[in-house]
Amino acid sequence: MREQFEGYALEARCARRPDGRYAVGVTVEREIDGKPLRHLFEDPTVSFVLQVEAELEAMNLGRKLVRRGGAGF
């Protein structure tokens, strides 16, 4: 899952854990001065049984980070 949000590109990066659940992770990317800057943010405290649920939560995490200035660039 990928989307553009307020000048940033967000992409869900949800990995399957050994217990079969999906961990929440999102890549936040922005191009500054022609160079793409990218960072992976993960929330190890949250996991879901369904991959689609984890991806939706990852996108929410990415939006929150962008809105609050937590993306770091």
Side-chain angles (χ1 to χ4, degrees), residues 36-72:
L37 300 175
R38 182 180 308 119
H39 190 76
L40 174 64
F41 295 92
E42 296 176 304
D43 189 348
T45 63
V46 179
S47 67
F48 292 91
V49 173
L50 298 177
Q51 184 176 3
V52 68
E53 290 177 311
E55 288 177 351
L56 291 172
E57 185 60 28
M59 300 309 279
N60 286 334
L61 173 62
R63 289 185 210 108
K64 287 178 189 176
L65 288 166
V66 169
R67 281 190 204 119
R68 296 178 182 169

Side-chain angles (χ1 to χ4, degrees), residues 3-10 29 59 62-64 66-67:
E3 75 175 48
Q4 296 293 321
F5 181 76
E6 295 184 11
Y8 291 82
L10 307 176
E29 182 178 330
M59 300 309 279
R63 289 185 210 108
K64 287 178 189 176
V66 169
R67 281 190 204 119

Side-chain angles (χ1 to χ4, degrees), residues 2-43:
R2 187 171 174 84
E3 75 175 48
Q4 296 293 321
F5 181 76
E6 295 184 11
Y8 291 82
L10 307 176
E11 185 171 1
R13 297 284 183 175
C14 301
R16 191 167 196 162
R17 300 183 338 180
D19 65 1
R21 296 176 64 90
Y22 289 90
V24 173
V26 64
T27 299
V28 179
E29 182 178 330
R30 185 173 191 180
E31 192 171 300
I32 298 177
D33 297 329
K35 296 180 182 179
L37 300 175
R38 182 180 308 119
H39 190 76
L40 174 64
F41 295 92
E42 296 176 304
D43 189 348

